Amino acid sequence: MKRPVARITGTGGYLPERRMDNHELSKRVETSDAWIRERTGIIERRIAAPGEMTSDLALQASRRALEMAGLTVNDLDMILVGTISPDLLFPSVATLLLRKLGGTRFIPAFDLQAACTGFLYGLSVGESFIASGQCRRVLVCGAETFSRVVDWRDRSTCVLFGDGAGAVVLEAVEGTEDGRGLLSTHIHADGVSADLLKASGGVSAGPPSDRGPEMDGIGYVLMQGNEVYKQAVTVMGRLVDETLAANGLEKSQVDWLVPHQANIRIIQGIAKRLGMGMDRVVVTVERHGNTSAASVPLALDEAVRDGRIQPGQLVLMEAFGAGFTWGSALMRW
């Protein structure tokens, strides 16, 4: 028997209402609109409202994905959420999302912490459960309120990040003569370079009263941007080659690249490696900033809903994040 194929049947995205543009940021830190645009491609980012939690963003994106798929939460067999900015230390955002969606079935729901690669890790896990026959329908969401772990005094990081959520519904299908569905997923990690991009501290650091001066700024994002950029471009280039080789495909056969929206320069570098014009790359970074685990599903949802991505086209999604983690997914839409 052929194993089931996982196909995305619904996408959804959600962005908070509040826009923070570069001019507003220039009043907080020593920067300018021109400086940010030149180095990152970002013009504005969205910021969650006070009291608006990661699970709230995930809820809106998930509702839209389920609506497109023609399903309800009680049709699902699993919920997976990629996030590094959960509402609480525990329970997980996924279990809170299950409750907020009104789920009445006792299905597994859990978070994946793989930084900006979290959604693609979730896609890989969900696809594996479908391929094994354990699940028929899986909701995979990437959601972040990243603005709450940014040091707004640090020009090198605060200009980059924004809040948002994206989601997809994966469904098992058989008899895919048209070849539509996920062709392969690839996920990796390397902890050697962990100190280059991190949010310091954590439960094991002890209560605040026990933390010395070296723990000042605990919880904020710390990044050595130049080193992260160099490693991201190198690693993502290799990942593109690995993904295409696994499927016996050539770079020229890829119709769309849906990359992690971290920095326009990284996106351009990956497109160049593919020999792909930017007109075939889905770019949202100028309006969203880096939304971490939410960026790939947000970009995918936009391109699906505006009609750029058409049935039968080959779509490559990829991301790189702290850890370092990186991953890709290739699908025939």
Side-chain angles (χ1 to χ4, degrees):
M1 288 182 62
K2 287 186 177 180
R3 72 178 195 172
V5 173
R7 181 184 293 173
I8 293 176
T9 59
T11 68
Y14 176 76
L15 294 162
E17 289 186 15
R18 186 179 172 223
R19 289 176 164 88
M20 178 185 286
D21 65 19
N22 295 339
H23 296 292
E24 181 179 346
L25 265 176
S26 69
K27 298 174 183 177
R28 290 175 173 244
V29 292
E30 186 180 348
T31 190
S32 68
D33 176 59
W35 188 91
I36 298 170
R37 287 194 194 211
E38 180 184 349
R39 287 160 178 79
T40 69
I42 299 169
I43 299 172
E44 66 177 23
R45 68 287 296 147
R46 300 296 186 95
I47 305 296
E52 190 174 33
M53 308 301 286
T54 297
S55 63
D56 296 321
L57 275 57
L59 174 64
Q60 298 303 323
S62 298
R63 280 175 172 167
R64 292 169 186 175
L66 287 166
E67 180 181 18
M68 182 185 287
L71 301 173
T72 72
V73 62
N74 291 317
D75 296 313
L76 298 174
D77 301 308
M78 177 177 285
I79 295 177
L80 304 170
V81 176
T83 187
I84 52 174
S85 51
D87 300 22
L88 304 164
L89 187 61
F90 57 84
S92 68
V93 173
T95 56
L96 297 175
L97 176 59
L98 174 61
R99 181 182 71 182
K100 290 183 177 184
L101 283 168
T104 57
R105 295 180 59 219
F106 300 128
I107 62 172
F110 57 94
D111 293 352
L112 298 102
Q113 208 279 44
C116 300
T117 321
F119 170 75
L120 287 171
Y121 267 56
L123 208 60
S124 183
V125 171
E127 190 273 340
S128 296
F129 271 92
I130 286 175
S132 71
Q134 295 181 72
C135 293
R136 298 286 300 174
R137 300 184 179 102
V138 179
L139 177 69
V140 184
C141 182
E144 304 283 12
T145 49
F146 209 103
S147 61
R148 291 172 185 156
V149 293
V150 167
D151 184 349
W152 292 99
R153 303 163 297 178
D154 180 3
R155 181 180 71 166
S156 68
T157 57
C158 73
V159 302
L160 300 174
F161 297 100
D163 302 333
V168 302
V169 175
L170 280 180
E171 291 197 65
V173 294
E174 279 89 16
T176 57
E177 286 93 8
D178 56 7
R180 296 178 62 198
L182 279 175
L183 304 182
S184 67
T185 60
H186 307 261
I187 53 175
H188 301 280
D190 174 8
V192 174
S193 303
D195 288 341
L196 297 180
L197 177 54
K198 64 183 180 180
S200 61
V203 174
S204 61
S209 60
D210 292 344
R211 296 170 187 160
E214 73 280 1
M215 299 301 286
D216 185 38
I218 189 167
Y220 290 145
V221 175
L222 303 171
M223 182 173 68
Q224 297 181 38
N226 289 336
E227 287 301 314
V228 172
Y229 170 81
K230 283 189 270 188
Q231 294 210 34
V233 171
T234 300
V235 167
M236 295 315 298
R238 291 201 303 261
L239 182 62
V240 166
D241 294 340
E242 173 194 344
T243 306
L244 294 175
N247 292 278
L249 295 168
E250 300 295 329
K251 296 174 183 178
S252 60
Q253 294 177 268
V254 177
D255 294 296
W256 288 102
L257 173 65
V258 184
H260 172 47
Q261 308 289 316
N263 182 305
I264 191 62
R265 293 180 177 179
I266 297 175
I267 295 171
Q268 289 168 340
I270 298 166
K272 184 177 180 181
R273 177 142 187 154
L274 276 166
M276 178 180 282
M278 290 300 291
D279 60 333
R280 291 164 56 202
V281 181
V282 181
V283 179
T284 61
V285 68
E286 75 278 5
R287 291 171 286 110
H288 299 177
N290 182 347
T291 54
S292 187
S295 78
V296 170
L298 271 169
L300 176 67
D301 177 61
E302 182 171 300
V304 167
R305 289 180 183 269
D306 68 19
R308 274 178 285 175
I309 295 178
Q310 291 291 310
Q313 290 185 325
L314 198 62
V315 180
L316 174 61
M317 298 177 281
E318 53 78 22
F320 178 89
F324 286 130
T325 63
W326 59 99
S328 67
L330 188 68
M331 67 177 173
R332 181 75 63 183
W333 182 258

